[in-house]
Amino acid sequence: MKITLLRKMSTSELATLVGVTTQTVNRWIRKHHWATQKVMGVQGGRGRVIVITPAVRDTLAITRKLRKLTLRLQAEEPDPFYQAQENDPLLRKIQAKLLKMTTTEKQRLLDLLERDDRSAVLMHVSMAEPSE
C-alpha cells in the first residue's frame, strides 16, 4: 500500500494521516525545524501548512502507522520500475524453465541467488555449459 503526500499539508491533515495528534505534529515542526508557510486569510498565526520535504518524509516513515508503507510525494516523478520487457526472449526462456522446475530445484536456485552475487551466479552458469 502506498500513501501519497501532498506538497503542502496542514497539521491536522498530517496528524490524521500518521495517526497522531496535531500537538505531536507541531512538536515535530519545532524539533526538526520543518519549513512551514502561512495560509492567506487565517488570522492569529494558526493558518500554516507544512512543506513536505525529504526530511519530513523520513520522520513520518518511522512512525508506527507508516513504518511498513511507502511514502510518495504527489506530482513527483514516479518511482522507476525496472522490469524486463514482456517480449524479451531471455525472460521468456527463464520463465519457461522455472515453471518446469521441481520445488527442490527452485529452492536450490533461490539459495544460490541469495547466497551469491551476480558475478558468482554467472560463473556457475558458465561452469555448467557443455565443453566445446
Side-chain angles (χ1 to χ4, degrees):
M1 179 175 153
K2 290 190 177 189
I3 291 183
T4 301
L5 298 173
L6 302 174
R7 292 274 180 202
K8 299 174 188 172
M9 297 180 75
S10 70
T11 54
S12 60
E13 290 173 329
L14 208 50
T16 302
L17 179 74
V18 178
V20 297
T21 64
T22 55
Q23 290 85 353
T24 301
V25 175
N26 285 323
R27 188 177 30 142
W28 290 342
I29 292 169
R30 289 188 303 276
K31 179 181 177 183
H32 300 292
H33 306 288
W34 290 352
T36 61
Q37 293 179 348
K38 279 188 174 185
V39 175
M40 299 303 291
V42 180
Q43 296 180 357
R46 298 209 178 266
R48 301 194 73 74
V49 290
I50 303 162
V51 179
I52 307 298
T53 62
V56 174
R57 289 175 60 198
D58 291 344
T59 302
L60 297 177
I62 61 172
T63 61
R64 186 179 326 147
K65 186 174 179 183
L66 302 182
R67 190 172 295 138
K68 295 180 181 158
L69 300 178
T70 303
L71 297 177
R72 295 185 328 157
L73 288 175
Q74 186 178 34
E76 71 177 0
E77 285 187 28
D79 294 332
F81 184 69
Y82 299 106
Q83 180 179 4
Q85 298 292 327
E86 287 186 23
N87 59 0
D88 184 353
L90 178 61
L91 176 64
R92 286 197 315 263
K93 283 189 176 193
I94 291 172
Q95 188 174 22
K97 296 296 181 186
L98 284 173
L99 291 173
K100 293 178 182 177
M101 289 177 120
T102 66
T103 306
T104 306
E105 291 170 334
K106 288 178 185 177
Q107 186 59 48
R108 288 178 60 200
L109 179 60
L110 184 60
D111 292 343
L112 173 72
L113 293 173
E114 288 177 350
R115 184 183 66 234
D116 295 338
D117 63 358
R118 187 184 69 137
S119 60
V121 171
L122 290 175
M123 184 179 71
H124 286 292
V125 171
S126 67
M127 288 172 43
E129 288 180 357
S131 57
E132 295 176 19

